[in-house]
Amino acid sequence: GTLRVRAAAVTEPPVISAVVIDGASLIMSGAEGVAGAAFSVVSSTNAVAPLAEWAVVGAGTFGADGAFSVTNAIAPGESRRFYLLRVP
């Protein structure tokens, strides 16, 4: 018999690399995504809450260069909010 081993290319996970506050908006952007692949951004005011309880606050597809950008409204009076970039 023949044993065949196929190795997949190892890629870095996409990351949020820049966060900008513009008025009442929070703009997050980053890179390293797979071109055309879907992503979502989830958010919670409690960093230790189960991921299933985090709300989806943005979604889209990575650009041809693997980049992305998401804009979210800043809730007045909220002292903190946590974000996570999620890929399927």
Side-chain angles (χ1 to χ4, degrees):
T2 303
L3 174 64
R4 295 182 187 194
V5 177
R6 184 177 300 206
V10 176
T11 59
E12 294 296 319
V15 295
I16 296 171
S17 58
V19 178
V20 175
I21 295 175
D22 183 11
S25 297
L26 179 73
I27 304 166
M28 295 172 280
S29 59
E32 305 298 328
V34 175
F39 70 87
S40 61
V41 176
V42 294
S43 180
S44 175
T45 56
N46 180 354
V48 298
L51 188 54
E53 295 177 9
W54 289 45
V56 175
V57 295
T61 55
F62 292 103
D65 59 355
F68 70 93
S69 181
V70 177
T71 301
N72 289 287
I74 298 172
E78 212 171 57
S79 62
R80 67 179 145 221
R81 179 161 286 279
F82 302 92
Y83 296 90
L84 178 70
L85 178 65
R86 186 170 62 180
V87 291

